[in-house]
Amino acid sequence: MATEAAIYKAVPRPSLWERIRTSSAPWVFMAPATVMIFLFFFLPVVLTIYISMTNMSVATFGKVVFIGLQNYIRMLKSRWTVKILTNTGFYVLTTLSCFNVGLALILSLLTTHINERVGTLFRTLWLLPRITPSVIYALLWIWVTADAPYGIVNQFLSPFGIEPRNWMNAQPWLVVIMANGFVGASFGMIIFTSAIKSIPEDYIRAAMVDGASTLQRIRYVILPMIRWPILFVLTYQTLSLLTSFEYILLLTDGGPGFYRTEVWALHAYHRALSNYFGNVQFGYGAALAAVLVVIGIIASILYLRVFRFNELVAEPKIEAL
Amino acid sequence: MEVQLENLTKYFGKVLAVDNLNLEIKDGEFVALLGPSGCGKTTTLLMVAGIYKPTKGYVKFNGQAVNHLLPKDRDIGMVFQSYALYPHMTVYENLTFPLKLKKVPAEEMRRKAQRIADMLGIGELMDRKPGQLSGGQQQRVALGRALIKEPKLLLFDEPLSNLDARLRLAMRGEIKRLQMSLGITSIYVTHDQVEAMTMADRIAVLNKGQLQAYAPPEELYDRPRTLFVAGFIGNPPMNLFEMELYQEDDHYKLRHPDLSLAIPDSRKPRRQPSGRRVIVGLRPEDISIGPEGEIESEIYMVEPLGRDDIITCKIGEIKVQTVVDSRLGYRIGDKVRISFNMEKVQLYDPQTELSLLWA
């Protein structure tokens, strides 16, 4: 009864407490996520930037000194910077276009145009590498490309007259990009498949009656209708490829030779965490990582602007019937 | 173009969707496939379009089986319930899409699009996207896209179901007029019997995948051959109730604890029912209320429609519906006398559900 009376009174004019409660509700609900974002996303960036302006390393742990932009200046002066930046660009663009978007599109189109069960089975199988621990997956690639005369690739290709070779050394980029791409393609494959399946059947039927062949249907109807999912995968995968390095680390560790397949994220890792003992340069590594953050933010803003992401979030682009 | 469906059968897994359908459509004819949802009418249409492959039987165009032909090679135009206008293309691009695929020269494409658009009154909408059009306008564009390549056969899949009542009425007339003036053979799927009755030259009634009747609208209404058709065609539906059929002095009569009726000679059953009981059918307009009526009854329900009232009368256990002028002001519970126009009676065998009057 007491609460009923309270509600009754609150109707003409809410009490101060009521007003605080209603206006604070959104903040209370947002709080857990806000705290998480602050602790695990925002704070690390601030810390990284702070560390990048110090000389922190194993050798200097006792006396960390603020050195301003010296780490960045050192980066600019390094003769490897351009090489590694080029490597990163090549790695991201090639993997993205050939596999994470290209192959993903081909896979999702193929598996939605064949028998449904076979398609689902195929997609499930393609997900296996993603749910396999990275180390095991990398190990499989190492065995597949094992030194001549061993290795499945060599066994497979020798009947065709291709001389056995150490593929990991001969074509390091090919191996790195394929290993990443096969896993990366599964993300786009799933997004594209669900997008293709959500296209109302009538559009496809209409296109068939209008005279479109399978390829024309894909070009004129399906692809335009899944434009937004494609842009989403493109954006998301650019960012995740920029920061990914674990397969490269496990497969070539940036080699063979000097920095042949070293990408920016791996370089930061090498500098900060995997140098020889006594020369683990936290400060310099943090500076490298900070640059990556900046590149990521710029890329995000560009994508947001160019592809008008707000519209993508605002309303579904596949129109309901 | 003539269309023949021969023993057309379609299974989805183990589910039988269309069961041994035989149908012949003459050149220039407008045929409606009518039936409740799930009766197999859309499946039949999609087999004619070539989108579904028949499990058995043939779809023939001008006597030639076309089962193996892809939809794009069948020379057909189709209009969908959802309109299925490509949302990323303008009206012009939607209209000319079939021509673009045929690699028709740009100049000719523009001319044809303009002609179709003028014919359908959508000329000023060419640069809009489908999302910026009203339902009726979208419907016209969809119709235009189906017509622009001058198909030999037009297929309609419930094209008016998404329109509001008034627009539906207008489009109904327009589609019929267009079809008549162009003379294109048309198959029109609908669950709305009024659409089928008003537009079609012949109506094929389907139920559970089987053809129930195939006849011109008047025949379907006056001489329904199966119980399903009798109950399905007409609004309010035909009154159907069971009575016992017997013969007395060479005349057929019907009896029931609450009611006895005499069958006039003009409606003498041509076949004997499998049992003694038959299902008697009478349309609401063949039942009248008035002092001269010989059957006593009580009004059970009054449903006002404005101009008319639908009145349900109770004769003992039997309930029948009739339509009367609403100004007569009947009320629930009124005792009234009613009469049946037995010259219009229908008789059905409850076992076979076939008419005893029409072969």
Side-chain angles (χ1 to χ4, degrees):
Chain A
M1 283 306 109
T3 49
E4 204 178 293
I7 291 166
Y8 210 79
K9 271 184 205 159
V11 171
R13 189 168 178 279
S15 70
L16 183 66
W17 168 237
E18 277 298 325
R19 271 177 288 162
I20 291 172
R21 222 177 61 174
T22 2
S23 62
S24 63
W27 299 104
V28 173
F29 281 111
M30 291 293 286
T34 312
V35 169
M36 296 268 275
I37 288 173
F38 183 77
L39 282 181
F40 295 103
F41 293 101
F42 184 69
L43 219 52
V45 172
V46 174
L47 276 176
T48 304
I49 290 171
Y50 166 71
I51 295 171
S52 75
M53 297 189 180
T54 68
N55 66 347
M56 190 193 282
S57 74
V58 174
T60 64
F61 249 151
K63 40 180 170 48
V64 173
V65 178
F66 186 83
I67 55 166
L69 295 176
Q70 276 189 36
N71 279 326
Y72 294 93
I73 293 163
R74 181 178 152 204
M75 204 187 305
L76 282 177
K77 284 182 176 164
S78 164
R79 58 197 171 115
W80 299 112
T81 302
V82 173
K83 166 80 175 157
I84 293 167
L85 211 54
T86 320
N87 277 353
T88 310
F90 173 74
Y91 163 70
V92 170
L93 290 180
T94 315
T95 316
L96 193 66
S97 54
C98 294
F99 289 91
N100 291 16
V101 175
L103 182 66
L105 258 181
I106 292 170
L107 287 177
S108 55
L109 284 168
L110 279 177
T111 57
T112 46
H113 279 76
I114 56 172
N115 177 297
E116 173 137 15
R117 274 192 197 174
V118 180
T120 309
L121 180 76
F122 185 86
R123 286 194 300 272
T124 314
L125 287 176
W126 200 276
L127 274 177
L128 277 178
R130 192 174 276 278
I131 55 177
T132 310
S134 311
V135 177
I136 294 176
Y137 176 68
L139 207 56
L140 288 176
W141 273 95
I142 288 171
W143 287 337
V144 163
T145 57
D147 291 355
Y150 308 108
I152 298 171
V153 178
N154 283 329
Q155 317 263 333
F156 204 77
L157 292 179
S158 56
F160 299 100
I162 294 168
E163 232 174 276
R165 67 193 81 174
N166 299 350
W167 285 100
M168 196 78 83
N169 285 331
Q171 296 289 343
W173 272 124
L174 192 67
V175 177
V176 161
I177 286 170
M178 273 168 66
N180 267 287
F182 284 167
V183 177
S186 59
F187 178 79
M189 178 184 76
I190 290 172
I191 305 265
F192 298 153
T193 301
S194 70
I196 291 170
K197 284 190 172 177
S198 71
I199 296 175
E201 196 71 28
D202 273 359
Y203 289 124
I204 309 298
R205 289 174 179 166
M208 285 167 91
V209 171
D210 284 343
S213 65
T214 308
L215 283 179
Q216 286 171 321
R217 270 196 319 270
I218 290 170
R219 182 175 157 204
Y220 292 116
V221 181
I222 296 177
L223 287 184
M225 282 189 172
I226 62 168
R227 203 173 118 234
W228 292 102
I230 292 175
L231 295 181
F232 165 71
V233 170
L234 192 69
T235 309
Y236 187 90
Q237 294 284 44
T238 307
L239 298 180
S240 84
L241 278 170
L242 268 176
T243 55
S244 80
F245 65 90
E246 74 268 31
Y247 294 131
I248 308 179
L249 171 73
L250 293 164
L251 289 171
T252 65
D253 199 16
F258 235 52
Y259 294 155
R260 180 116 176 249
T261 57
E262 182 100 337
V263 294
W264 201 270
L266 182 61
H267 192 54
Y269 166 81
H270 277 151
R271 283 287 154 206
L273 300 165
S274 180
N275 238 330
Y276 59 88
F277 188 78
N279 193 23
V280 174
Q281 305 159 347
F282 297 123
Y284 188 49
L288 289 166
V291 169
L292 206 54
V293 171
V294 172
I295 292 176
I297 290 173
I298 291 171
S300 308
I301 292 171
L302 275 180
Y303 277 128
L304 286 169
R305 280 287 155 85
V306 173
F307 298 146
R308 300 194 303 271
F309 239 57
N310 306 343
E311 283 180 32
L312 166 64
V313 183
E315 49 171 343
K317 285 292 166 183
I318 295 172
E319 279 170 34
L321 293 180
Chain B
M1 180 156 72
E2 284 169 32
V3 179
Q4 290 105 19
L5 308 183
E6 285 182 15
N7 308 323
L8 200 63
T9 303
K10 178 70 182 174
Y11 279 93
F12 290 109
K14 281 185 182 156
V15 182
L16 179 59
V18 176
D19 185 4
N20 208 28
L21 187 66
N22 284 288
L23 210 64
E24 225 173 285
I25 297 162
K26 284 181 249 163
D27 186 34
E29 199 174 17
F30 192 117
V31 167
L33 299 182
L34 176 66
S37 42
C39 73
K41 53 193 192 299
T42 298
T43 307
T44 306
L45 195 75
L46 291 177
M47 282 194 280
V48 175
I51 290 162
Y52 286 166
K53 280 211 161 31
T55 313
K56 268 202 313 238
Y58 294 99
V59 175
K60 289 184 174 176
F61 289 174
N62 289 332
Q64 291 273 313
V66 294
N67 287 29
H68 60 284
L69 279 189
L70 292 174
K72 67 190 181 80
D73 301 321
R74 292 195 180 198
D75 218 350
I76 51 176
M78 191 159 173
V79 183
F80 297 84
Q81 178 178 355
S82 62
Y83 319 131
L85 298 177
Y86 311 115
H88 51 282
M89 299 184 195
T90 62
V91 167
Y92 178 78
E93 287 166 331
N94 264 288
L95 275 179
T96 53
F97 187 58
L99 302 182
K100 185 174 155 189
L101 294 173
K102 276 187 174 177
K103 302 207 163 48
V104 172
E107 186 45 47
E108 192 185 337
M109 212 150 84
R110 215 175 353 261
R111 218 181 47 237
K112 283 189 171 177
Q114 200 53 54
R115 215 186 63 214
I116 287 276
D118 289 343
M119 188 166 83
L120 294 165
I122 48 174
E124 72 284 12
L125 306 173
M126 289 298 214
D127 296 326
R128 296 220 201 150
K129 293 271 178 77
Q132 300 165 305
L133 302 179
S134 71
Q137 290 168 331
Q138 291 189 41
Q139 183 57 264
R140 282 161 208 271
V141 178
L143 200 56
R145 189 180 60 183
L147 288 171
I148 199 160
K149 57 179 176 175
E150 293 153 22
K152 296 281 182 337
L153 176 65
L154 268 175
L155 305 173
F156 297 90
D157 187 8
E158 310 229 9
L160 305 182
S161 297
N162 284 7
L163 297 178
D164 64 61
R166 257 176 60 187
L167 206 51
R168 195 179 312 161
L169 218 70
M171 285 303 285
R172 206 164 76 194
E174 219 163 307
I175 290 179
K176 177 69 191 160
R177 190 181 49 75
L178 210 62
Q179 190 270 340
M180 268 169 42
S181 64
L182 297 173
I184 304 174
T185 314
S186 300
I187 305 178
Y188 189 102
V189 161
T190 179
H191 64 266
D192 182 343
Q193 47 160 313
V194 181
E195 264 174 39
M197 297 287 278
T198 50
M199 295 168 83
D201 298 322
R202 278 197 287 177
I203 301 174
V205 183
L206 273 82
N207 189 34
K208 293 175 185 156
Q210 287 177 327
L211 186 64
Q212 294 282 327
Y214 186 37
E218 314 78 53
E219 193 185 323
L220 219 52
Y221 192 78
D222 294 334
R223 298 199 291 277
R225 275 146 216 244
T226 68
L227 192 60
F228 175 81
V229 175
F232 190 70
I233 303 280
N235 188 23
M238 186 187 285
N239 296 293
L240 297 164
F241 43 91
E242 266 197 2
M243 292 183 85
E244 194 185 306
L245 180 73
Y246 67 102
Q247 237 174 330
E248 198 180 79
D249 317 332
D250 220 22
H251 291 295
Y252 282 94
K253 295 193 168 171
L254 295 159
R255 70 180 161 214
H256 183 275
D258 301 316
L259 183 67
S260 349
L261 297 168
I263 296 172
D265 285 349
S266 61
R267 293 269 160 165
K268 223 159 63 180
R270 292 202 209 161
R271 277 186 294 204
Q272 284 304 311
S274 40
R276 285 194 303 176
R277 307 194 69 80
V278 293
I279 292 173
V280 180
L282 266 172
R283 293 219 177 265
E285 61 266 32
D286 299 324
I287 297 175
S288 48
I289 302 181
E292 68 280 8
E294 63 272 26
I295 303 159
E296 280 182 26
S297 77
E298 187 186 321
I299 294 181
Y300 178 75
M301 168 91 94
V302 178
E303 293 163 81
L305 293 178
R307 190 182 57 196
D308 302 314
D309 285 349
I310 300 177
I311 299 215
T312 310
C313 298
K314 227 172 136 184
I315 311 157
E317 289 297 297
I318 298 171
K319 282 183 206 141
V320 292
Q321 283 191 321
T322 176
V323 179
V324 300
D325 193 318
S326 59
R327 283 170 299 188
L328 295 173
Y330 289 111
R331 301 270 188 102
I332 294 177
D334 285 354
K335 301 264 189 274
V336 290
R337 303 189 71 83
I338 58 176
S339 56
F340 291 171
N341 179 3
M342 291 303 281
E343 294 290 340
K344 292 289 182 71
V345 77
Q346 308 280 348
L347 298 171
Y348 295 93
D349 186 324
Q351 246 77 57
T352 60
E353 301 197 345
L354 293 176
S355 173
L356 301 174
L357 303 179
W358 325 110

